[in-house]
Amino acid sequence: DDSDMVLAKVFIGPWADYCNKYGMGYALTDERLGVDINDSTTLLMSPDKQNLEYVSARRLASVLVRKHYGMEKGQHPEKIKNKLYLLKHLENYMLEQLYGQRDYCYDNME
């Protein structure tokens, strides 16, 4: 029963639109970074930059498969290497161009 679960309020902060070529990169207010890639996959990086969450669609997107990996070489499959490179590139772009030196998280004031 999930009725007593408290859902976190997570929003998209800065984002970078590379949809014509790669996909959409974004920073979430819970400090995760993500990229929705044009091949219907999503890659999220944890705030501590130690873990990855990889989501792929199966059966015409009716089933989503979610897998967790480490960031270190050998902890994630070779097939996501280029996607991880894209995520890191978008992270650098967003932090340098869209946020500068500011944090990309917020404090919930409720």
Side-chain angles (χ1 to χ4, degrees):
D1 181 24
D2 294 337
S3 61
D4 60 342
M5 276 183 36
V6 176
L7 299 176
K9 293 180 181 175
V10 179
F11 303 95
I12 294 175
W15 51 273
D17 183 355
Y18 287 89
C19 287
N20 288 336
K21 198 165 187 179
Y22 304 111
M24 175 78 71
Y26 48 87
L28 299 173
T29 54
D30 65 358
E31 298 186 61
R32 289 181 296 161
L33 294 168
V35 60
D36 289 340
I37 303 169
N38 290 345
D39 66 357
S40 299
T41 61
T42 298
L43 190 61
L44 290 162
M45 182 169 48
S46 65
D48 63 6
K49 299 180 184 178
Q50 298 298 311
N51 298 291
L52 294 171
E53 187 174 340
Y54 181 68
V55 182
S56 59
R58 301 280 192 269
R59 297 189 200 144
L60 300 175
S62 65
V63 176
L64 295 177
V65 178
R66 195 173 178 180
K67 296 187 178 182
H68 299 274
Y69 301 111
M71 286 285 291
E72 299 297 319
K73 187 174 181 174
Q75 293 180 330
H76 54 271
E78 186 70 20
K79 71 178 183 178
I80 69 169
K81 184 176 96 173
N82 290 341
K83 295 174 184 187
L84 181 55
Y85 178 82
L86 174 61
L87 178 63
K88 288 179 179 180
H89 171 75
L90 290 170
E91 173 193 22
N92 290 334
Y93 171 78
M94 286 186 289
L95 291 177
E96 291 173 12
Q97 301 298 320
L98 302 179
Y99 263 124
Q101 297 300 315
R102 291 173 282 175
D103 291 334
Y104 52 88
C105 63
Y106 79 106
D107 292 320
N108 189 348
M109 304 305 275
E110 285 186 33

